[in-house]
Amino acid sequence: MRSLFRLLAALLLCVQPALAWEYWGGDRGGQRFSPLTQITSDNVGTLVRGWEFRTGDLDTRPPDVMKRTKFEVTPLFVEDSLIFCTPFNEVIALDPGTGAQKWRFDPRISMRHRPANRFVCRGVAHWTDDRAADGAACKSRIFAGTNDTRLIALDARTGKPCADFGDHGEIKIDAGMKLEWPGEFQITSAPVTGRGVVVVGSAIGDNRRVDAPLGAVRAFDARTGQPRWTFDPLIHSGVEAGHSNVWAPMSVDEERGLVFLPTTSPSPDFWGGKRPGNDEHANSVVALRIETGELVWAFQTTHHDVWDYDLPAQPTLTRIDTGSGMRDVVIQPTKQGFVFVLDRDTGKPVWPVEERAVPQNGAEGEKLSPTQPFPTHVPPLLTQRIGADDAFGLVPGFERAACEKLFGQSRNEGLFTPPSPQGTVIYPMTGGGVNWGSAAFDPVNQILYANVSHAVQIVTLIPRDQAKGFNPPPGHDFGQQEGAPFAMSRAVARSPLGTLCNKPPWGETVAVDLKAGKILWHAPVGTSEDLAPLGIALNTGTPLLSGVAITAGGLVFTGAMDAYLRAFDARSGKQLWLGRLPVPGVANPMTYLWKGEQYVVIGAGGHSEGGTSIGDSVVAFRLPRQGEGVSLWARIIDRPGGRFEAKAVAAALVLIALVALLWRWRRGRRASAA
């Protein structure tokens, strides 16, 4: 029966025009699955670099500005072009075969604009106006949000603004209240489109103040830019807190006319005394009618969040075999590593979700939820508890002892331990678990893939009378949380030498059989080569904010915090290939077919928050053409540790040469003396 299902699914894929990557998540529902099979587990090891395109930001932007960038973009393949945005919201179209620039649009955002979440643009959206005549200007449109909160419409073939949309091609989105600084409110993820409507979310500076800007989701007519509706994710009845917003990518079911929102925690993140109750519809998957904004259903994954456990991942829309029939579902991964599987029409869990008691006794004025929802069928993607016995250090005794002390002196009662003035262990950390990279789903083999991070944070509440003059130590994120009795400080738990305090691996790709409710494999992703001194490559894995792309060729592609794009065997999790990048590719890869050749592409611009080197490249790989091949030297050096080993060999050869020269010199002096 399973083989019959796979055959039917494969036949279905064959009749769909899915050879292109037309949406940020591959398709409207974010499956990140490509039916392309030219690159397979048998030949992926021969991939070569097809081209590299540099945006020029590294050469033209001030260095202090570049240090505040995150190059998290995934290009689209539409209109015979690769189209993407830079961290400064320039939209660029490239030739898919050569990487040559076809057009470029610069919205000219100010470099003085200091966005709360740094300069970042994860992607753009594409929409075709079926009412427009063939060849008409802006029949095919690109929509892009900006860090200075504009929504821009461009002709997908020329890059020129669509004059009939808004004010000469753009809409300035008003936050609806006075901002403390312009960057307190920004747009970071790609808009979505459906049924003639374009929908855009927003990102906010979460921990500056209780009355942070409202996080309304906004919809506009895709042709004219006229407002269609707004939706505030947080019900404000009796609630003084500022917002819940949608900064993460959204999904669309065009047939049902639904848009799915992954909503955030309400402000401020770590104290909720002024927002009593469960804070509906924050921390929820929310389904709205895309044409009207009418609420259809909402499912909350965290009640009264005080851990910054918002939903960062795009809801994945797919069809699964539940064991009792096929169902259209929404799959929602979380920062905690949970996987919720919900019926797409009702929002009800496909498999039971239990309300379980969680730690209580929050900070002064806090009213915690006594229970939290736990999925029962699909296991968590990572461990959710850590103790002093799990402390780690590369230097025996010294580093581990420091981490043990840090864990021991902090409040630590497992998942959902509330923040406290003494400091609380938050694990999984506020960056995940799963983050904005989201999950990928193989509809043929019914397997879910996701990247997860294993790292610990210590969150400390600082009493208001101490917060004014508080000077956070290096590496600590500080938020005033004005209007609350506490400010907050948080930092990743590290040893005095900078090593993560928990045992590796620190980043993994995980494969899950949803029907069986079983983890199939874990694969560490990334090494310390581009993060550690001297380029030493330890197979520790790296924290993973970005996600994966999967193919019918049996492959899982992913980047990491080191400068490699990797391919894993989808069945076993074995690493099959890695391609060197100019800087780390902390972005979701994508793949497409162009003139008979399959390409795999990733944005390689580094990540300022991750502490990596910074760049401005988009890099494409393909199979070698006739006469091309991978040299033995490249095979040796383009692997984890290969460059460190090459440097070590070179240093050894130089040392040998110096010794030989010294020996000859001394021998010559002795001969002269004789």
Side-chain angles (χ1 to χ4, degrees):
M1 179 62 89
R2 188 176 181 88
S3 60
L4 177 61
F5 168 74
R6 289 180 181 175
L7 176 61
L8 292 174
L11 290 173
L12 178 62
L13 288 169
C14 288
V15 300
Q16 294 179 329
L19 299 183
W21 199 279
E22 298 178 340
Y23 303 90
W24 184 80
D27 57 44
R28 292 182 185 273
Q31 290 187 110
R32 291 170 185 79
F33 172 80
S34 170
L36 296 176
T37 58
Q38 186 180 98
I39 302 173
T40 68
S41 56
D42 292 329
N43 62 24
V44 68
T46 67
L47 286 182
V48 297
R49 182 179 294 190
W51 52 259
E52 176 184 354
F53 174 83
R54 291 192 56 206
T55 67
D57 283 340
L58 203 61
D59 300 325
T60 60
R61 307 287 182 177
D64 65 314
V65 172
M66 289 302 295
K67 290 178 182 177
R68 301 198 306 273
T69 62
K70 299 185 290 188
F71 198 48
E72 298 177 349
V73 72
T74 302
L76 305 186
F77 180 45
V78 294
E79 298 294 352
D80 292 340
S81 298
L82 277 188
I83 304 179
F84 67 97
C85 54
T86 75
F88 304 103
N89 302 118
E90 289 189 72
V91 182
I92 300 173
L94 304 181
D95 182 283
T98 66
Q101 180 176 302
K102 298 174 71 172
W103 58 256
R104 186 182 195 121
F105 173 81
D106 186 355
R108 300 186 183 280
I109 64 174
S110 171
M111 295 301 97
R112 296 180 180 179
H113 193 92
R114 292 182 173 265
N117 299 281
R118 307 199 179 199
F119 289 98
V120 59
C121 180
R122 296 187 184 92
V124 298
H126 177 246
W127 178 74
T128 302
D129 184 355
D130 57 9
R131 298 181 192 172
D134 291 344
C138 286
K139 177 181 177 65
S140 179
R141 300 187 178 198
I142 295 295
F143 290 105
T146 68
N147 288 287
D148 58 3
T149 61
R150 286 178 281 164
L151 178 61
I152 297 172
L154 305 173
D155 187 298
R157 291 189 174 274
T158 67
K160 295 180 179 179
C162 298
D164 57 351
F165 182 85
D167 183 8
H168 301 287
E170 72 175 43
I171 298 167
K172 177 63 177 177
I173 296 176
D174 187 355
M177 62 183 293
K178 184 178 180 180
L179 301 178
E180 291 202 355
W181 81 97
E184 191 179 16
F185 177 66
Q186 67 186 118
I187 300 170
T188 57
S189 291
V192 293
T193 63
R195 297 200 175 187
V197 177
V198 55
V199 185
V200 65
S202 62
I204 313 290
D206 289 326
N207 294 304
R208 181 70 182 90
R209 51 183 174 140
V210 167
D211 59 342
L214 296 176
V217 177
R218 296 165 174 85
F220 303 90
D221 187 287
R223 295 180 179 86
T224 67
Q226 287 296 311
R228 294 288 290 266
W229 52 262
T230 61
F231 176 80
D232 187 344
L234 185 64
I235 298 175
H236 286 269
S237 176
V239 174
E240 297 179 50
H243 81 280
S244 170
N245 57 304
V246 178
W247 64 261
M250 298 173 279
S251 298
V252 172
D253 184 327
E254 178 82 5
E255 181 181 349
R256 286 175 169 83
L258 299 178
V259 58
F260 296 88
L261 319 179
T263 68
T264 71
S265 52
S267 63
D269 285 335
F270 301 104
W271 186 82
K274 291 189 176 181
R275 46 178 172 85
N278 284 350
D279 303 324
E280 292 91 353
H281 297 296
N283 300 89
S284 300
V285 185
V286 178
L288 305 178
R289 300 209 181 279
I290 195 168
E291 294 173 286
T292 65
E294 174 192 355
L295 176 67
V296 177
W297 57 258
F299 180 88
Q300 191 170 62
T301 61
T302 302
H303 308 319
H304 190 80
D305 185 3
V306 292
W307 305 273
D308 193 17
Y309 279 156
D310 52 11
L311 292 181
Q314 181 181 22
T316 302
L317 310 183
T318 192
R319 188 167 173 80
I320 67 168
D321 180 4
T322 65
S324 57
M326 300 296 295
R327 290 178 71 172
D328 290 346
V329 300
V330 181
I331 302 172
Q332 183 64 61
T334 74
K335 288 182 177 180
Q336 300 99 303
F338 289 134
V339 178
F340 291 91
V341 183
L342 310 173
D343 183 274
R344 205 181 308 175
D345 291 309
T346 66
K348 294 181 179 179
V350 170
W351 293 292
V353 172
E354 294 180 352
E355 290 287 335
R356 297 178 186 172
V358 294
Q360 296 296 294
N361 302 317
E364 179 184 353
E366 188 61 84
K367 298 177 183 178
L368 298 170
S369 172
T371 64
Q372 293 291 343
F374 285 73
T376 61
H377 178 70
V378 181
L381 302 181
L382 72 166
T383 57
Q384 296 175 322
R385 190 179 187 112
I386 194 163
D389 292 343
D390 300 306
F392 175 76
L394 291 173
V395 179
F398 168 63
E399 280 196 294
R400 176 166 178 162
C403 290
E404 287 177 345
K405 181 180 179 180
L406 182 61
F407 289 164
Q409 69 187 16
S410 304
R411 186 173 176 184
N412 184 14
E413 299 158 34
L415 190 62
F416 298 115
T417 302
S420 63
Q422 78 181 75
T424 291
V425 169
I426 303 293
Y427 182 75
M429 64 176 278
T430 62
V434 181
N435 207 289
W436 54 263
S438 312
F441 186 73
D442 179 344
V444 178
N445 296 293
Q446 297 278 288
I447 306 299
L448 184 79
Y449 301 87
N451 280 345
V452 297
S453 295
H454 300 263
V456 182
Q457 274 177 324
I458 307 296
V459 171
T460 305
L461 296 180
I462 304 164
R464 180 58 53 203
D465 60 355
Q466 301 173 25
K468 188 174 182 180
F470 182 78
N471 186 22
H476 283 63
D477 179 24
F478 176 70
Q480 282 285 356
Q481 297 194 149
E482 290 183 356
F486 301 94
M488 76 87 191
S489 175
R490 62 178 165 181
V492 175
R494 296 181 182 273
S495 76
L497 298 181
T499 306
L500 292 182
C501 269
N502 53 300
K503 297 175 182 177
W506 297 320
E508 293 182 303
T509 300
V510 185
V512 187
D513 183 329
L514 290 185
K515 179 180 176 182
K518 179 182 178 182
I519 303 291
L520 299 178
W521 51 259
H522 296 259
V525 181
T527 74
S528 61
E529 177 177 351
D530 296 296
L531 299 171
L534 304 176
I536 298 172
L538 302 177
N539 192 29
T540 56
T542 70
L544 300 171
L545 302 176
S546 51
V548 306
I550 55 178
T551 73
L555 297 170
V556 180
F557 290 96
T558 183
M561 290 286 184
D562 64 0
Y564 292 98
L565 175 64
R566 288 172 168 81
F568 293 86
D569 185 275
R571 291 184 177 274
S572 67
K574 179 182 178 182
Q575 182 175 295
L576 301 177
W577 169 83
L578 69 170
R580 187 67 178 174
L581 301 170
V583 299
V586 188
N588 284 10
M590 54 84 73
T591 186
Y592 60 93
L593 191 70
W594 177 251
K595 295 185 177 179
E597 292 182 303
Q598 183 181 352
Y599 291 79
V600 181
V601 171
I602 190 168
H607 200 273
S608 57
E609 287 181 331
T612 75
S613 53
I614 300 299
D616 59 4
S617 295
V618 176
V619 183
F621 295 90
R622 56 168 170 75
L623 294 174
R625 296 167 181 164
Q626 187 172 3
E628 289 182 334
V630 183
S631 68
L632 178 60
W633 175 248
R635 290 180 182 274
I636 293 172
I637 199 170
D638 284 347
R639 61 184 179 84
R643 293 171 187 271
F644 171 71
E645 292 168 9
K647 291 176 183 177
V649 170
L653 291 174
V654 170
L655 181 61
I656 291 170
L658 289 173
V659 170
L661 287 172
L662 178 61
W663 180 80
R664 290 187 65 182
W665 176 75
R666 293 189 63 183
R667 184 179 179 185
R669 289 197 63 183
R670 288 174 181 172
S672 298

